[in-house]
Amino acid sequence: MENESASHAPNGSRRDFLKQSSLLTALALTPTAVIKAAENDEEIASVFEKVPLKFEVNGVKHSLSIEPRVTLLDLLREQMKLTGTKKGCDHGQCGACTVHIDGRRVNSCLTLAVMQEGKKVTTIEGLANGDKLHPMQEAFIKHDGFQCGYCTPGQIMSAVACVREGHASSPEQVREYMSGNICRCGAYPNIVDAIMEVKNGGNKI
Amino acid sequence: MIPFQYVRALKQRSAIDAVLKDKSAQFIAGGTNLVDLMKRGVTAPQKVVDITNLPLKEVVLKNNKLLIGALALNADVAEHPFVVKHFPLLSLALQAGASAQLRNMATTGGNMLQRTRCPYFYDTVLPCNKRNPGSGCGALEGYNRMHAIFGASDKCIAVHPSDMAIALAALDAVVLVSGAKGDRRIPFTDFHRLPGDRPEIDNNLVRGDLVVGVELSQNAFSKHAHYLKIRDRASYAFALVSVAAALDINGNTINNARLAMGGVAHKPWRLFTAEKFLAGKPATEENFKAAAALEMQTAKAYEHNKFKLTLAPNTVVEALKIAAKV
């Protein structure tokens, strides 16, 4: 059982006991007001056990220690300072947090970071080649595919995947396969134009 | 989100054992629904068991049956060449659900186990018998535009939100389950349950049960199948009403019909009465209308969802017309 499960409390009752007793100790020593604050305060939340995570972000290997409840979005933004990926709704409804995991677009807000062990993550910061923008970034600028720009990193990550998946054969198909990215400024026509130009350019992106 | 213990299961048995040992433990796969529910405080497991490393991702043909692993991603199943060719209804239903990003995350098992999107279930300050048994149903006398017209109770009028499950119900899929007492097979139409007096229970699984896959038998419905989803926007919205329609047609005569509706009940709603009516009859709009009307006799609407009494039969007829190509 123990070698079948890579639990982070692998030794059953003893670790469970230690965890529970340390948690109880922490609670016992912590004033009520602070416990209440702990619900929102990441500093105080560090009384809870952290777990190791090894993964790759934009081609760089990272070895971190994180709480299991941390989403990939919060890890990228708050701990790794990769703030290009945006937090919009934080509930998988807007697509602002879109990143690629092992080449596939996902909502990082609904992804637990701890589950990304060994995975390769690409964010908007990893798209350009040095100072040279990715063709999709160039196309968004050329076609004015944004107004306020808040949804743009998610739109571009989603757009790159949309073309790579082969789901950009027509403006109609682009609209359907980009429906997970909401733009409240309403730049949709220009976003579709940008994606179609990259698709019709025929270059491998 | 409250803190929880994370367990990464490497064997199916250890995953099941981990959940059996802890009453609040939950499996996690794609996480698209569970993480959201945990953020909102709707559910608060003290232990989360990650099953994504289990070997349940395959989609394979075995003994003339299609086996879809519980961890096969919605996007992959939707575009699997065998699914597209032989089970187009399932492919269409999967593609009608969620967004491209979510379909890259959501699994076959997780999709069927997702919870209702009833706003009273999601808002922890409002009454909801499903989230907090005994607290009442906020939707019954509240805003119930999205809610059920079939099989509801005065305890709960929520609907099941899955598109995939509607197609699987129509196709008579079988859910493969592994649990404390070994393996068992549950016909899809018996998998989910109606709310009755226990709306907190969505399906007939018991603690420790792990959905390991779905089995589909080859059928004669692949040439005449359609999934029609009616929603408030063109894409990326839950169904107001959806219809999975599959016909086995010889000449102009319907040998067999399979019909299921989404957005109308606590479970995928099979239209057995309409199916029975259509068997042996010509595939005409008149017959489709008569079949839909028969089925609607048991429908019951609430203050804000009366439009479904018209939308539902119209959607049935339209889906059948597209499926039959008439």
Side-chain angles (χ1 to χ4, degrees):
Chain A
M1 193 24 229
E2 281 167 26
N3 29 5
E4 285 177 9
S5 159
S7 162
H8 289 289
N11 297 323
S13 56
R14 184 171 165 271
R15 282 292 295 275
D16 279 345
F17 173 74
L18 286 175
K19 187 191 325 297
Q20 279 176 13
S21 56
S22 66
L23 178 55
L24 289 173
T25 308
L27 291 174
L29 295 174
T30 315
T32 318
V34 180
I35 295 173
K36 283 213 156 140
E39 287 171 15
N40 299 312
D41 192 323
E42 287 177 11
E43 295 286 314
I44 297 171
S46 66
V47 296
F48 303 111
E49 187 175 355
K50 291 192 173 185
V51 295
L53 170 67
K54 283 186 182 166
F55 75 146
E56 202 176 300
V57 179
N58 299 330
V60 180
K61 288 190 170 73
H62 292 270
S63 188
L64 305 168
S65 182
I66 60 162
E67 272 193 79
R69 62 175 164 165
V70 173
T71 62
L72 178 59
L73 174 63
D74 285 344
L75 179 67
L76 290 169
R77 288 183 55 84
E78 308 298 332
Q79 295 186 41
M80 303 180 78
K81 306 302 174 195
L82 291 169
T83 52
T85 306
K86 296 292 184 265
K87 183 181 278 193
C89 67
D90 206 25
H91 291 284
Q93 296 175 0
C94 77
C97 68
T98 303
V99 300
H100 297 179
I101 298 177
D102 289 344
R104 301 178 71 141
R105 51 174 158 164
V106 299
N107 300 107
S108 62
C109 74
L110 293 181
T111 304
L112 292 180
V114 71
M115 290 172 71
Q116 307 317 308
E117 179 74 24
K119 301 278 174 66
K120 291 180 180 174
V121 176
T122 307
T123 70
I124 189 73
E125 289 92 342
L127 213 51
N129 184 5
D131 286 340
K132 187 169 167 39
L133 291 180
H134 185 277
M136 193 63 79
Q137 292 172 308
E138 300 266 18
F140 267 65
I141 293 169
K142 180 182 165 189
H143 288 276
D144 213 8
F146 49 84
Q147 198 178 109
C148 82
Y150 195 79
C151 72
T152 311
Q155 295 279 1
I156 290 177
M157 295 310 289
S158 200
V160 169
C162 183
V163 173
R164 286 180 183 162
E165 289 161 7
H167 291 141
S169 62
S170 65
E172 292 70 32
Q173 192 182 32
V174 166
R175 284 191 185 91
E176 171 61 35
Y177 279 86
M178 288 294 292
S179 68
N181 292 82
I182 309 294
C183 170
R184 286 288 80 135
C185 301
Y188 298 114
N190 299 357
I191 291 170
V192 174
D193 288 348
I195 297 172
M196 287 312 295
E197 179 176 281
V198 173
K199 166 64 171 57
N200 293 332
N203 294 323
K204 191 170 183 294
I205 60 162
Chain B
M1 201 187 305
I2 66 150
F4 55 84
Q5 188 189 4
Y6 171 75
V7 178
R8 184 177 296 143
L10 303 179
K11 290 257 170 75
Q12 194 169 298
R13 194 66 245 170
S14 61
I16 291 168
D17 286 345
V19 165
L20 279 171
K21 273 191 290 192
D22 184 337
K23 270 188 182 169
S24 88
Q26 290 200 40
F27 297 118
I28 189 166
T32 57
N33 191 211
L34 183 62
V35 173
D36 193 22
L37 292 170
M38 287 164 68
K39 281 185 182 183
R40 294 173 194 263
V42 175
T43 187
Q46 288 166 14
K47 184 188 280 178
V48 171
V49 180
D50 176 0
I51 59 166
T52 56
N53 291 287
L54 302 182
L56 299 171
K57 296 184 179 73
E58 279 196 326
V59 180
V60 290
L61 191 65
K62 204 172 164 185
N63 301 331
N64 232 16
K65 290 185 171 170
L66 186 70
L67 291 176
I68 302 170
L71 294 174
L73 299 175
N74 285 182
D76 292 344
V77 177
E79 300 204 347
H80 191 283
F82 197 87
V83 175
V84 172
K85 188 173 179 201
H86 297 284
F87 302 98
L89 187 64
L90 176 59
S91 180
L92 289 169
L94 280 164
Q95 282 170 344
S99 67
Q101 288 97 315
L102 290 168
R103 293 193 295 269
N104 274 342
M105 305 165 73
T107 63
T108 304
N111 185 318
M112 70 178 75
L113 292 169
Q114 65 181 301
R115 312 297 309 273
T116 184
R117 295 315 197 278
C118 174
Y120 296 90
F121 176 70
Y122 262 75
D123 191 333
T124 54
V125 304
L126 297 175
C128 170
N129 286 322
K130 185 179 278 298
R131 172 173 36 76
N132 183 16
S135 62
C137 173
L140 196 60
E141 303 289 330
Y143 188 57
N144 44 37
R145 180 172 175 270
M146 299 295 287
H147 292 73
I149 54 170
F150 290 111
S153 74
D154 60 0
K155 299 286 192 292
C156 179
I157 60 171
V159 298
H160 198 277
S162 171
D163 293 296
M164 179 197 79
I166 309 307
L168 290 178
L171 293 168
D172 284 318
V174 176
V175 184
L176 310 177
V177 176
S178 189
K181 293 173 187 162
D183 298 344
R184 63 187 206 281
R185 302 161 54 84
I186 306 176
F188 206 87
T189 44
D190 296 336
F191 182 80
H192 297 96
R193 59 185 294 285
L194 290 175
D197 289 335
R198 301 291 303 277
E200 71 275 21
I201 310 171
D202 289 352
N203 54 58
N204 290 314
L205 295 180
V206 296
R207 173 139 294 272
D209 276 348
L210 176 69
V211 172
V212 296
V214 170
E215 183 186 280
L216 280 168
S217 298
Q218 295 247 43
N219 60 55
F221 299 118
S222 60
K223 286 191 176 61
H224 296 98
H226 192 67
Y227 187 77
L228 183 59
K229 183 177 182 182
I230 308 299
R231 44 193 157 174
D232 281 330
R233 53 189 188 195
S235 178
Y236 197 22
F238 289 100
L240 294 166
V241 169
S242 70
V243 172
L247 296 168
D248 171 11
I249 300 183
N250 184 10
N252 191 37
T253 305
I254 299 166
N255 290 334
N256 263 306
R258 292 286 181 276
L259 285 165
M261 254 197 278
V264 295
H266 195 260
K267 61 183 286 188
W269 193 252
R270 264 289 284 272
L271 280 60
F272 291 112
T273 311
E275 289 175 13
K276 203 173 165 189
F277 174 84
L278 288 171
K281 290 200 172 62
T284 63
E285 185 166 348
E286 290 68 37
N287 283 332
F288 297 158
K289 281 183 177 168
L294 271 179
E295 198 68 49
M296 293 305 295
Q297 287 176 358
T298 56
K300 182 194 168 194
Y302 299 87
E303 188 180 351
H304 305 103
N305 70 350
K306 291 188 175 69
F307 69 97
K308 288 191 181 183
L309 296 179
T310 309
L311 184 63
N314 285 353
T315 310
V316 170
V317 172
E318 198 58 30
L320 281 167
K321 280 168 67 179
I322 297 169
K325 303 181 178 78
V326 298

